[in-house]
Amino acid sequence: MSSVPGLQADCEELLGAFQEADTVRFERLAELWRERRFHTIFYGRIRALERNKLTKKTLELAQQYFLPPYAFQIRVGALYLLYGLYSTQLCQPKQKIRIALKDWPEIQKFQQDLIDSQHYDAAYIFRTLRLARAFHFTAMPKLLNYRTKKKIQENELKEEFKDPSNRVNSLITNDVLEELMNIHDHYQKMKCVISADKSQPDKALSLIKDEFVITLKDITLEHQEWQQNRMKLFLNAKETDEISNKKEEGALLESEGSERASALARIKYRSYSAVVEASKSRRHRQVKLESAESGSNYGKSPSRSKKNSRRLQPAGRRDAVEIKGEMQVAKETVTRHIGMPIITEEENPDEE
Amino acid sequence: SVETLMSSDKEDDPDVIPEDSSLQTLRIRKKALERREETIIVDRACRQETLAYEMESHAIGKRPDNPTDLVEEGELLLTLNIFYPVIFQKHKDHKPYQTVLVLGSQKLTELRDSISCVSDLQIGGEFSSQPDQAPEHISKDLYKSAFFYFEGIFYNDKRYPECRDLSRTIIEWSESHDRGYGNLQSVKMEDYRFNDLFLKIGFPYLFCHQGDCEHIIIITDIRLIHHDDCLDRNLYPLLIKKHWLCTRKCFVCKMYTARWVTNNDSLAPEDPCFFCDVCFRMLHYDAEGNKLGEFLAYPYVDPGIFN
């Protein structure tokens, strides 16, 4: 189904305002709703058949925000939004909200969370929707239809609404680190045993850095810190400096060391949040900064990141920096996948 | 938290888009509406739209007179798209289909009976010499075999003795060489209900009848039955959407639907040529009923007959 034009922008605007209000109270969303007179979204002399279709699409769009991976506040906002849209729709009998079977356990967990954290207004609203029989329990979340799409629309989910997905942390957990430490110790002992000097492993056998486990732990901590900082500052980011600044800052990067972690994070943040301001002739193709979550965008558009890295190489060459080669591979992988801003347009205007 | 917080304070006319709206959706919609009004392309609902809406909503909320026909809670509702076998050029992007709702506890044979295809109504045979004796037997009565194909299993209709196993040919073909198809089985259609099947949503399956008339079936949705749905078991399988096909009109009067088609007709301007019953007889037979000219005539059933 092709989407309703403008609807996603309106919903995101409302949810964004709700997120900024930093509360989960229904009254707050009701105020924002009334400000925008959101119920008029169904107005406009639409005939019955199209009205049904339109309402279905609206509810489907709003329902997407109700499920993970969105942040808790956004999900509560989506619940209120669904309630509002369901109640103010003009269809008779009312169009229902489709929830897939696989999502129900999560929703029930969500409801339990709401009750536990004493957000009784949200829990009450959910219960009202259930009692009003507002849900269709379906096998698949999206109703299929069979029109060949003129262009495949990719639904760009708004990044700020998502909970920062911390793939690095879920991979390098405490257990993993502990085990790594154990194996490392065991390995060192093994080396000692087989070498001539029983207290120390042979120089010829030192193939790895001795403190790599500690370094790994530090890197993950630093990454987490950096991500949190960046999320906060992302909302206030401005587009000012040239992209070439990024390269100059990059030249300051030296080999890893946990002492420089904070300095590193600061520099990286500054350089990667800078975006070139397009010249007047290319103003319509202004580059937008989008946060690149570690896992979320990577899986979706690997071709983009590759294109991006390819593009950056010539820019780097221009400023004659070989920093990429100097950086340790592990570090580089981390920064590549996380720090790279995904430039949304196809061409880098700077390169022309 | 009261619902009245959502509604507007003053009485709003839902047809009028408010002037000062900050919603993008409304701004875009307003432009489209204004454009429509200027050009008056779509002023009222055309009869196709009315029909489509009627079909979709005519059964909503219906309850049976007989309480034993009530659909129970926990019943599954499947939405199937059954595609027409017609192949016209204009259908290349979206093939026409009808949408049927079936209950999970219904047998496959009930669905088979509810599929209306024009090939069932064909009358075989050339009747230029005896136009009044076109037999009453339609193909549906003569060739009763049919099968469904879901997930590697052929469900053959074996209710009548003259039904044959049409899928046998396919199974033999796939077993003759190693063609890469797994074990294909053949079972009886009347023994199975939809609840017993393993199905994929969105995957094309097949319904074949009349030996070679094939319809693709796609399941678009499975959900639990809802309070607001039609709960009368007798109305299922329920047709909720049908593609409107234009009927071919008689070449002479251009008013009535064609009932005869002629080939190699010396009296007709084109080959094949379609006629309604009256015009056909007036042109090709004299007052005594003798055949005039050379031609071959066949009874014709237009695909749009189900409109």
Side-chain angles (χ1 to χ4, degrees), chain A residues 6-7 9-10 34 37 39-41 43-45 47-48 54 96 98 133 135-139 146-147, chain B residues 5 8 12 14-15 23-26 29 33 37 42 49 53 94 202 218 221-224 226-228:
Chain A
L7 188 65
D10 285 332
R34 264 180 307 215
R37 296 179 69 223
H39 66 285
T40 56
I41 209 157
Y43 283 11
R45 195 147 50 98
R47 287 192 299 272
L54 184 83
K96 312 285 185 287
R98 293 175 59 96
R133 300 188 176 104
F135 294 109
H136 265 336
F137 304 94
T138 68
Y146 286 92
R147 301 189 81 86
Chain B
L5 284 175
S8 61
D12 261 344
D15 283 346
L23 298 174
Q24 245 182 24
T25 323
L26 286 182
R29 202 180 289 161
L33 262 186
E37 261 186 59
V42 187
E49 191 181 322
Y53 178 65
H94 9 271
I218 299 187
D221 184 30
I222 304 180
R223 63 175 175 83
L224 287 176
H226 191 273
H227 182 262
D228 284 344

Side-chain angles (χ1 to χ4, degrees), chain B residues 29-284:
Chain B
R29 202 180 289 161
K30 191 158 188 181
K31 274 197 226 132
L33 262 186
E34 278 164 16
R35 196 175 33 206
R36 246 194 249 170
E37 261 186 59
E38 275 175 51
T39 54
I40 316 191
I41 292 179
V42 187
D43 195 31
R44 295 191 307 268
C46 61
R47 58 190 176 142
Q48 267 95 331
E49 191 181 322
T50 323
L51 174 73
Y53 178 65
E54 257 313 297
M55 290 201 70
E56 223 179 78
S57 49
H58 77 281
I60 291 183
K62 282 230 175 94
R63 299 287 180 269
D65 299 321
N66 191 345
T68 51
D69 291 334
L70 191 70
V71 175
E72 286 152 10
E73 214 178 295
E75 181 78 64
L76 285 176
L77 191 71
L78 290 94
T79 314
L80 309 175
N81 282 357
I82 303 174
F83 287 78
Y84 293 174
V86 293
I87 306 179
F88 292 131
Q89 262 300 82
K90 61 181 176 176
H91 291 150
K92 68 171 167 191
D93 288 324
H94 9 271
K95 209 158 150 124
Y97 59 91
Q98 37 175 292
T99 310
V100 173
L101 297 175
V102 284
L103 298 171
S105 60
Q106 288 192 300
K107 292 209 199 130
L108 293 181
T109 44
E110 293 178 56
L111 176 66
R112 184 247 197 267
D113 292 334
S114 75
I115 297 180
S116 49
C117 173
V118 70
S119 59
D120 278 336
L121 305 171
Q122 301 286 4
I123 302 170
E126 204 269 319
F127 295 107
S128 55
S129 330
Q130 59 275 14
D132 299 319
Q133 286 161 28
E136 290 308 307
H137 302 296
I138 54 176
S139 303
K140 190 166 186 168
D141 303 324
L142 292 173
Y143 310 113
K144 294 209 181 80
S145 329
F147 70 81
F148 282 106
Y149 172 75
F150 292 118
E151 294 293 312
I153 303 179
F154 291 93
Y155 299 87
N156 284 282
D157 191 357
K158 287 285 180 61
R159 288 174 289 176
Y160 307 100
E162 53 262 19
C163 294
R164 293 192 299 161
D165 186 358
L166 297 171
S167 58
R168 199 162 38 94
T169 338
I170 304 177
I171 297 180
E172 280 168 7
W173 168 85
S174 87
E175 280 170 2
S176 59
H177 300 291
D178 181 20
R179 307 215 190 237
Y181 293 102
N183 250 347
L184 296 174
Q185 301 167 33
S186 169
V187 297
K188 283 209 250 183
M189 195 198 282
E190 52 268 22
D191 294 338
Y192 286 82
R193 295 173 190 272
F194 278 98
N195 280 336
D196 306 327
L197 303 175
F198 286 99
L199 298 168
K200 293 191 210 160
I201 296 190
F203 192 83
Y205 296 118
L206 193 71
F207 169 64
C208 180
H209 66 138
Q210 298 291 326
D212 63 352
C213 182
E214 295 174 353
H215 300 250
I216 294 188
I217 298 188
I218 299 187
I219 302 175
T220 48
D221 184 30
I222 304 180
R223 63 175 175 83
L224 287 176
I225 199 91
H226 191 273
H227 182 262
D228 284 344
D229 291 326
C230 170
L231 295 181
D232 186 352
R233 188 176 280 275
N234 293 329
L235 292 175
Y236 286 97
L238 181 66
L239 189 66
I240 55 172
K241 180 174 189 276
K242 196 159 64 180
H243 190 92
W244 176 283
L245 288 166
C246 289
T247 57
R248 262 197 247 262
K249 302 288 188 290
C250 167
F251 185 79
V252 179
C253 60
K254 309 268 200 286
M255 271 193 342
Y256 293 106
T257 311
R259 293 266 312 279
W260 289 93
V261 61
T262 56
N263 289 111
N264 301 331
D265 195 348
S266 47
L267 301 165
E270 54 185 31
D271 193 332
C273 195
F274 297 91
F275 297 97
C276 68
D277 205 36
V278 173
C279 300
F280 175 70
R281 285 172 207 275
M282 276 185 11
L283 179 62
H284 293 95

